[in-house]
Amino acid sequence: MNRRSSIAVASAIYDGLVAVMMVAGRPLMAQIFNVPLPQPPIHADLNGLFLCAVAVGYVIPYREPDSSGGRTYLWVMGPLLKGLGALAFVADYLFRHSPASFLLFAVSDGAMALLTLWALKTDASIKGTVPVGSGFSRTVDPSRDPSRSA
């Protein structure tokens, strides 16, 4: 399993667990974070459904980590969404004085954003190997590569 597939699995589990807690575990979450239950509850329900859809979407980069769709999904849901989410939690803490316990989400979202960025920026395949999902599984000898003809 390459780095992008691994990040897709970790991100799906992360978002899926938060989705379940938003929909089914609100009383426990409110108690843990020492905050009142969201009113009206539909806001938490919709956030949970959104996170569930995001988690299911990670099937794309898991199955096709080197495809354009897989990489795009990771860019949008990782560095963009989770990165901006981490910044939003910090800004909310600083300017609206949300509970310090919410910074846990800033740290976890920020960590997932950085891990996803790392996986996207590093070459997931070994040099000289045809990328996964290309339909080939052979190693290319650079000296026989037709694109490097003299």
Side-chain angles (χ1 to χ4, degrees), residues 6-7 14 23 25 32 52 59 62 102 117 123 127 135-136 142:
S6 299
I7 289 297
Y14 172 78
V23 174
I32 290 171
C52 185
V59 167
Y62 171 72
F102 281 17
L117 180 64
D123 188 8
K127 256 190 176 170
F136 299 98

Side-chain angles (χ1 to χ4, degrees), residues 7-143:
I7 289 297
V9 169
S11 295
I13 292 169
Y14 172 78
D15 288 329
L17 288 174
V18 176
V20 168
M21 292 304 291
M22 292 294 291
V23 174
R26 272 194 302 271
L28 178 61
M29 292 281 280
Q31 184 179 0
I32 290 171
F33 290 101
N34 196 26
V35 294
L37 288 169
Q39 289 300 322
I42 188 68
H43 292 298
D45 293 339
L46 290 174
N47 280 330
L49 289 173
F50 168 75
L51 286 171
C52 185
V54 169
V56 169
Y58 279 108
V59 167
I60 299 165
Y62 171 72
R63 293 187 65 176
E64 299 178 15
D66 295 319
S67 70
S68 175
R71 287 190 317 272
T72 300
Y73 194 85
L74 288 175
W75 272 111
V76 171
M77 296 303 166
L80 185 63
L81 180 66
K82 286 184 177 66
L84 290 175
L87 291 175
F89 276 112
V90 171
D92 197 59
Y93 171 75
L94 293 174
F95 300 113
R96 294 186 197 160
H97 310 292
S98 62
S101 58
F102 281 17
L103 291 175
L104 173 66
F105 292 109
V107 171
S108 59
D109 276 4
M112 292 304 293
L114 289 173
L115 285 170
T116 305
L117 180 64
W118 168 76
L120 287 163
K121 296 299 273 181
T122 57
D123 188 8
S125 60
I126 300 169
K127 256 190 176 170
T129 302
V130 176
V132 174
S134 65
F136 299 98
S137 60
R138 63 181 177 83
T139 300
V140 176
D141 180 358
S143 65

